[in-house]
Amino acid sequence: MAVFVTLKIWFAYFLLVVVTFSDCHVPQYETVLNKIQSEKAPASTQERASYDVLARLLPSHLSSFEFRIITKECGGKFCFLLQNHPSAGVYGGAPEIRISGTTGVELCAGLHWYLKHWCNGHISWDKTGGAQLHTVHRPGFLPRLQGDTLTIQRPVDWNYYQNVVTSSYSYVWWTWERWEKEIDWMALQGINLPLAFTGQEAVWQKVFQSETFNLTKAELDDYFGGPGFLAWARMGNLKRWGGPLPQKWLDQQLQLQIKILARMRELGMTPVLPAFAGNVPAAITKKYPSARVTRLGEWNTVNGDTRYCCTFLLDPKDPLFVDIGKAFILQQIKEYGGTQHIYNCDTFNENQPPTDDPSYISALGSIVYEAMSAADQDAIWLMQGWLFASDDKFWKPPQMKALLHSVPVGRMVVLDLFADVKPMWSRSDHFYGVPYIWCMLHNFGGNVEMYGRLDVVATAPIQAVTSSNSTMVGVGMCMEGIEQNPVVYDLMAEMAFHNATVVVEDWIEEYARRRYGELTAGARIAWKMLHESIYNCSDGIADHNGDVIVEFPDIDPKRSLFQIRPRQSLGQQILGHPQHIWYSPQDAAVALQYLLSSADALGLSKPYRYDVVDLTRQVLSKLANQLHSQVLDQFRMFNVEKMDNISSRLLELLSDMDDLLGASEEFLLGTWLESAKDLATSDEERKLYEWNARTQITMWFDNTLDKPSPLHDYANKMWSGLTRDYYLPRASIYIKYLKQSLHENTSFAFQEWRREWIALTNEWQVASNLYPTVAKGDALEIATTLYEKYADLIVDDQTPELGIR
C-alpha cells in the first residue's frame, strides 16, 4: 500500500485554521476586491464547474466527493476545508470527502491537496508526464482525514499566472480542447488570477475600424504581428512581422476567448484583460495629423528595418489616448459580457519614457489609468514590474515612485516579475506602499532546459510577506513558456497555500513518491542530487538555454569564448560561451544513473519516462558543450586529426539526441507544427502558420543574407526533428569551415559560414516537410544505451553501479 502522508511533514496541516501572516490594508484595493468577489458566478455555477473538473480528472470518483461553496467560514479570506463526509460508510455510494471552499478554484485546489497529501497523487501537464493517479484508492475506500476539519487559508489573496509572452510561446496554436485542460490545471493548482489575452486583435479591429477611428483592414495588417509574434506586436516591440493576420484567425480567436473567459468565470477565477498601453497603427498619424505620436527606436531587427521595427506610441497626454483606451475596454466588456475590473498594461516594456523627469512620468501614468477608469470606474491596473528589473539604471527610486504613485494607491498592483532572481520589493521597501505580487519568472523563450531555484521558491515568498511594511497580495508564475520543469511549478503553485517556509529536502522526497506512485531508492537519491545541483541555482543568473546544440555560437573560433557578448533578447546578457552552468555536470550524470537504476520498478510510469528522457537530454547537452570546446581547442592548436575525431563525436551525439527525443511524445517537433497547421482553413493560411511556427523557434526575427537576427535561437527547443534537420546541419556547416581553415591554412571563413547557415534557416522556415507526431522506439532503452555509450565522458570511476533500485 502506498504511503499517503508522511506524518512528520504534514502533521502541521491538521490544524483547524491556518493563520495568515499579513493583510494589505489599502482601502481602495479592498473596495474593488470586495466588488470582484460580490460579482462572481453563483455558488451553484462554481460547484457545477468544479464537479466537471473532477469528472474530467477522475470520472470514476465523481460520487466520492461533495463540493460546497462557503462564504463566512474564513472571515472573508480565500480558503478551502477538507472533512470526512458524515454519510461516508453509512449509505452505499455516498460521498466520502466533503470539500468546502470560497470559490470554485478553492474547491478544485482542495481536491488537488487531498489527492496529493492523502492519496499520493500527482498532476502535471501532459507534456511533462501528465497525471499519476493510479495510487488513488477505488471509490468507497478513500483515506479518511485525522480530525474533523482541515482548513487551508491562503496567506495572500492571489495566485497569478502567465507572462504576456506565454500567449505566443506556448498557447498560440491551442484549440478549446487544450485550453480546457489548461484551465482545469489552473484550478487544481489554485490559480485565481490568470491573464486572458486571447483574441484581443479582433477587439482592436472592431475599435479601429469603427466610425470613430475608421481605419482599414490593410492599415491594421501593418499593425498586427503574425500568430507566432502577437505578444511583441501588442507591446509595441514590432509590427507586421509574421503577418498579415487572416480574418478567419481574428474571428476564431475571439470565439475561443469567449469560451476561455466563460470557463474561468464559472470556476470563480478573476481573468485579467488587456488595456491600452499607447501602441497605435501608423495610419493614426494620417487620420489624426495633429496627434502627438512618437516613433520608437529599433528593437532587434537587422539594420533597423522599418518594415518591422520602430512602432508608434501615442503620447498619453494627447486627448486621443483616453478615447482609444476607453473604447477598447468598453468593446471588451461588450464582447465578453462584462469585466472583472483588473487590467494589464505595460507602457514601457523595454521602451524607456522620453524623459526621466518624475513629474512627466507621474502625469503619464495617471493618464494611462484614466483611460481604464473612464470605461470602468472600479479598474485596477496590473503592471508587470519587468521594467524595474531589466532597466534599473533608468528606473531609480524617484522614477519608480512617480509611476507607482501616479494612480490612487490600491488601484495599481505590481507584478514583481523577476522576484525569484532579482526581487524589487526589497529594493523599493515593498514598492513604496503599492500592493504587489511576488512572481517567479523562471523560463525564457519556452526553452527546454532543466533549471530551478527550489530553495528560493520555498522561502522567498514567505520572507517577503512577513517582512515589515509588506504590501504583498499574491504569488505568481510568470514563465515565458510552460510545459517544462514540472517540479518547479508544483512547488511554486503550492506556495500559494503555505504560511511557512517549506523544507525542500523533505518535500522533494514526497514529490518523487507522488510523481511515480512509489519511491525507489534510486529515485530518492536521484531527486536528492537534482535538488542539490540542477534545481539549486544560486548564482543570481536566470537560465536561458544557450547549449551549443540549440544555439550554436555565431563566433569566429579565434575569438575568446569568454568574451562578454551583449544580447538584446528581452533584457538579458549572456556570455559569449553559450552555456550557463551552475552545477556539476558530473552530479547530474550520477543522478541520471540512479534514476535509470529504477527502470524495472518505475518503467510503466509516464512521469518517470519523461524525467529519464529530460535528464538524459540535459546530461548529453552539457557533454556537447564540452565536446564543442575541445573542438575549438584543437582548432587553435592546429591539431587536424584530434579535431576531426572530436567533431565527429559531437555530430554523432546530436544524431543520438534526436533518436532519444524522437522516442518521447513530449519532445516532438511535429506536434508543434501540426497544431499550427490544424488551425488553418486554407492552403494560404497553412503556409503562413507553419512559417510562423518554424521561424519563432529558429531565427525568430528579421535577418539579412549575411547577418542573423539578434534574437536567433532565443526560443530554441530541444525537439526531435528540429535537432536532426536544423541543429545538426548547422553544426556540420560550422565544422566544415573549421576543417577547411586547417586543411587550407586559411582564416576561418566567418562570413561564408554565416551566409550558409542563414540560408539553411531561411530554407527550413519555408519548408513544408512532415515530422512525426507519434514517438518511435523505447525511450528507456535508448536512454540507457546512450548513457552507457557516453559513460566514459560523463562519469568517473567513483559512480555507483546500476543495480540499485
Side-chain angles (χ1 to χ4, degrees):
M1 180 182 296
V3 178
F4 296 108
V5 182
T6 301
L7 293 179
K8 67 175 182 178
I9 300 174
W10 302 116
F11 179 79
Y13 294 126
F14 293 99
L15 301 174
L16 182 61
V17 177
V18 176
V19 180
T20 55
F21 271 126
S22 173
D23 291 314
C24 180
H25 294 298
V26 180
Q28 293 260 21
Y29 167 77
E30 291 180 346
T31 298
V32 178
L33 183 63
N34 291 334
K35 185 175 182 62
I36 290 171
Q37 301 312 317
S38 69
E39 295 176 351
K40 286 194 179 298
S44 59
T45 299
Q46 296 187 56
E47 289 169 358
R48 182 68 264 162
S50 302
Y51 279 116
D52 290 343
V53 172
L54 173 59
R56 288 186 289 272
L57 180 71
L58 269 176
S60 58
H61 288 67
L62 190 56
S63 62
S64 298
F65 296 90
E66 179 186 85
F67 292 138
R68 294 193 315 167
I69 292 292
I70 56 176
T71 56
K72 299 180 180 179
E73 284 82 346
C74 294
K77 297 296 182 180
F78 293 107
C79 72
F80 61 80
L81 283 67
L82 303 180
Q83 297 170 303
N84 296 316
H85 198 281
S87 300
V90 178
Y91 306 103
E96 301 168 75
I97 301 296
R98 173 181 288 165
I99 303 176
S100 306
T102 47
T103 70
V105 171
E106 310 307 309
L107 296 179
C108 294
L111 171 65
H112 188 198
W113 196 271
Y114 176 80
L115 294 176
K116 284 176 76 169
H117 302 312
W118 276 263
C119 301
N120 203 29
H122 171 77
I123 298 169
S124 70
W125 292 295
D126 286 351
K127 288 197 70 173
T128 56
Q132 184 292 109
L133 296 173
H134 73 266
T135 55
V136 179
H137 282 200
R138 69 182 186 272
F141 296 89
L142 291 180
R144 294 180 64 80
L145 281 68
Q146 300 176 12
D148 294 331
T149 302
L150 168 66
T151 299
I152 300 294
Q153 183 173 305
R154 294 181 189 262
V156 282
D157 296 327
W158 299 114
N159 189 356
Y160 172 81
Y161 184 55
Q162 296 177 39
N163 187 299
V164 294
V165 304
T166 317
S167 57
S168 290
Y169 283 135
S170 293
Y171 308 152
V172 55
W173 312 121
W174 284 8
T175 60
W176 169 244
E177 180 183 13
R178 179 62 186 86
W179 262 111
E180 184 174 54
K181 289 183 177 182
E182 187 71 3
I183 296 171
D184 285 356
W185 180 89
M186 291 183 202
L188 292 162
Q189 305 297 332
I191 292 163
N192 59 3
L193 189 67
L195 282 187
F197 270 26
T198 303
Q200 62 178 278
E201 284 70 27
V203 179
W204 276 121
Q205 182 186 45
K206 294 185 178 186
V207 169
F208 282 130
Q209 288 187 339
S210 67
E211 292 182 1
T212 303
F213 303 106
N214 199 29
L215 300 188
T216 66
K217 174 69 163 61
E219 289 169 331
L220 292 179
D221 285 345
D222 185 59
Y223 176 61
F224 296 138
F229 304 95
L230 292 175
W232 300 275
R234 293 166 179 170
M235 292 185 286
N237 301 129
L238 56 81
K239 58 185 175 68
R240 193 179 187 86
W241 180 252
L245 283 180
Q247 188 62 46
K248 286 283 189 180
W249 170 276
L250 294 164
D251 297 340
Q252 287 173 344
Q253 293 294 298
L254 179 58
Q255 292 307 308
L256 180 58
Q257 170 76 335
I258 291 170
K259 282 188 174 183
I260 292 169
L261 289 173
R263 180 60 55 80
M264 288 178 173
R265 289 166 175 169
E266 288 169 3
L267 285 163
M269 294 179 185
T270 301
V272 178
L273 297 178
F276 179 51
N279 308 306
V280 292
I284 283 288
T285 60
K286 297 178 181 177
K287 302 289 183 181
Y288 298 90
S290 61
R292 298 164 63 179
V293 176
T294 301
R295 188 160 197 175
L296 299 177
E298 187 275 336
W299 187 86
N300 285 310
T301 59
V302 174
N303 300 330
D305 192 330
T306 54
R307 291 175 298 170
Y308 312 120
C309 83
C310 312
T311 57
F312 294 84
L313 183 68
L314 179 64
D315 190 326
K317 294 184 177 181
D318 192 291
L320 195 59
F321 192 100
V322 172
D323 292 343
I324 294 176
K326 177 181 178 181
F328 179 55
I329 288 181
L330 288 176
Q331 188 67 36
Q332 289 187 97
I333 293 173
K334 177 182 177 181
E335 298 292 334
Y336 306 147
T339 176
Q340 275 63 53
H341 308 297
I342 301 183
Y343 305 93
N344 170 261
C345 183
D346 299 304
T347 306
F348 300 119
N349 189 72
E350 300 188 21
N351 292 311
Q352 286 186 1
T355 173
D356 64 358
D357 180 2
S359 61
Y360 176 87
I361 294 172
S362 180
L364 184 149
S366 178
I367 300 170
V368 170
Y369 179 72
E370 182 184 345
M372 300 178 207
S373 59
D376 180 0
Q377 63 180 0
D378 297 307
I380 286 183
W381 177 2
L382 182 75
M383 183 183 71
Q384 289 194 141
W386 174 244
L387 70 171
F388 301 137
S390 66
D391 194 7
D392 54 3
K393 290 183 179 179
F394 178 90
W395 292 100
K396 294 181 173 62
Q399 289 73 32
M400 284 185 67
K401 287 181 182 178
L403 183 56
L404 294 172
H405 291 168
S406 63
V407 303
V409 175
R411 292 305 181 96
M412 175 187 283
V413 175
V414 182
L415 300 176
D416 197 354
L417 204 75
F418 208 17
D420 54 322
V421 173
K422 191 176 180 180
M424 299 307 297
W425 67 264
S426 57
R427 304 183 187 195
S428 60
D429 193 19
H430 296 278
F431 291 96
Y432 307 111
V434 171
Y436 73 97
I437 295 175
W438 190 102
C439 296
M440 176 191 74
L441 206 163
H442 181 259
N443 173 275
F444 289 90
N447 297 157
V448 180
E449 169 80 343
M450 294 179 73
Y451 159 79
R453 312 190 77 203
L454 292 182
D455 290 345
V456 171
V457 167
T459 59
I462 303 299
Q463 292 170 355
V465 77
T466 56
S467 297
S468 59
N469 302 320
S470 179
T471 52
M472 180 174 154
V473 295
V475 295
M477 297 184 283
C478 301
M479 62 285 117
E480 290 193 354
I482 64 167
E483 298 177 319
Q484 37 76 31
N485 289 292
V487 63
V488 176
Y489 296 89
D490 194 293
L491 179 58
M492 187 65 243
E494 197 173 289
M495 292 307 296
F497 298 97
H498 280 297
N499 68 339
T501 59
V502 172
V503 180
V504 181
E505 290 81 359
D506 295 333
W507 185 92
I508 202 81
E509 184 172 312
E510 291 304 308
Y511 170 84
R513 187 191 309 278
R514 295 192 301 263
R515 184 158 169 81
Y516 305 145
E518 63 175 296
L519 185 63
T520 62
R524 179 179 58 78
I525 298 171
W527 275 101
K528 181 179 185 297
M529 296 188 70
L530 290 175
H531 164 227
E532 295 170 349
S533 57
I534 287 176
Y535 290 115
N536 191 27
C537 182
S538 58
D539 60 11
I541 301 175
D543 190 54
H544 181 283
N545 192 351
D547 291 336
V548 294
I549 292 179
V550 294
E551 190 175 340
F552 208 84
D554 178 34
I555 58 173
D556 188 317
K558 292 292 180 67
R559 290 174 52 194
S560 169
L561 282 179
F562 294 96
Q563 180 177 355
I564 292 293
R565 174 169 63 89
R567 181 188 179 118
Q568 299 176 34
S569 47
L570 308 188
Q572 283 194 303
Q573 282 192 335
I574 64 173
L575 293 175
H577 192 17
Q579 60 178 323
H580 164 217
I581 192 74
W582 62 95
Y583 63 93
S584 165
Q586 169 83 8
D587 289 345
V590 174
L592 173 59
Q593 189 172 26
Y594 276 115
L595 197 60
L596 284 170
S597 73
S598 295
D600 290 343
L602 305 177
L604 296 179
S605 163
K606 287 189 68 175
Y608 170 78
R609 296 175 76 88
Y610 170 85
D611 289 345
V612 166
V613 173
D614 199 27
L615 183 53
T616 305
R617 175 208 56 73
Q618 181 82 8
V619 168
L620 294 183
S621 67
K622 302 311 175 189
L623 172 59
N625 292 339
Q626 296 175 31
L627 292 175
H628 172 260
S629 294
Q630 292 171 18
V631 167
L632 295 187
D633 287 342
Q634 299 306 317
F635 172 81
R636 295 189 185 99
M637 291 187 290
F638 301 95
N639 195 325
V640 177
E641 183 177 357
K642 283 189 175 182
M643 193 193 79
D644 281 349
N645 290 337
I646 299 171
S647 60
S648 295
R649 192 151 201 189
L650 173 60
L651 298 179
E652 184 180 2
L653 174 60
L654 266 68
S655 179
D656 288 341
M657 285 281 284
D658 196 81
D659 291 340
L660 170 70
L661 299 170
S664 179
E665 62 185 13
E666 296 90 350
F667 295 92
L668 301 179
L669 167 66
T671 306
W672 169 257
L673 297 182
E674 292 306 312
S675 64
K677 291 186 286 183
D678 285 347
L679 292 181
T681 61
S682 67
D683 289 340
E684 184 179 2
E685 287 180 15
R686 193 168 293 108
K687 290 179 182 178
L688 176 67
Y689 297 170
E690 183 169 7
W691 183 90
N692 271 258
R694 286 172 176 254
T695 299
Q696 186 203 93
I697 60 177
T698 52
M699 191 62 78
W700 206 104
F701 202 16
D702 181 41
N703 62 268
T704 63
L705 294 179
D706 57 3
K707 193 172 181 181
S709 163
L711 294 176
H712 70 85
D713 297 312
Y714 183 82
N716 64 68
K717 302 292 187 292
M718 205 167 284
W719 287 342
S720 174
L722 187 62
T723 304
R724 183 187 67 239
D725 286 357
Y726 183 66
Y727 296 143
L728 176 57
R730 180 172 62 179
S732 300
I733 293 169
Y734 192 81
I735 289 171
K736 178 187 73 174
Y737 282 107
L738 288 177
K739 292 181 178 180
Q740 175 182 302
S741 174
L742 291 188
H743 285 292
E744 298 178 3
N745 195 24
T746 57
S747 298
F748 179 80
F750 181 66
Q751 289 304 320
E752 287 78 0
W753 136 256
R754 268 193 164 181
R755 280 191 286 269
E756 191 166 345
W757 84 256
I758 291 173
L760 165 73
T761 307
N762 292 338
E763 292 167 7
W764 191 83
Q765 288 173 174
V766 299
S768 58
N769 54 310
L770 299 178
Y771 289 93
T773 56
V774 177
K776 179 182 179 181
D778 187 317
L780 290 185
E781 182 178 319
I782 294 172
T784 302
T785 299
L786 292 182
Y787 177 86
E788 294 172 349
K789 178 177 180 178
Y790 293 102
D792 62 319
L793 299 177
I794 59 178
V795 294
D796 58 29
D797 296 335
Q798 305 302 314
T799 54
E801 295 297 328
L802 282 176
I804 189 170
R805 294 181 71 250

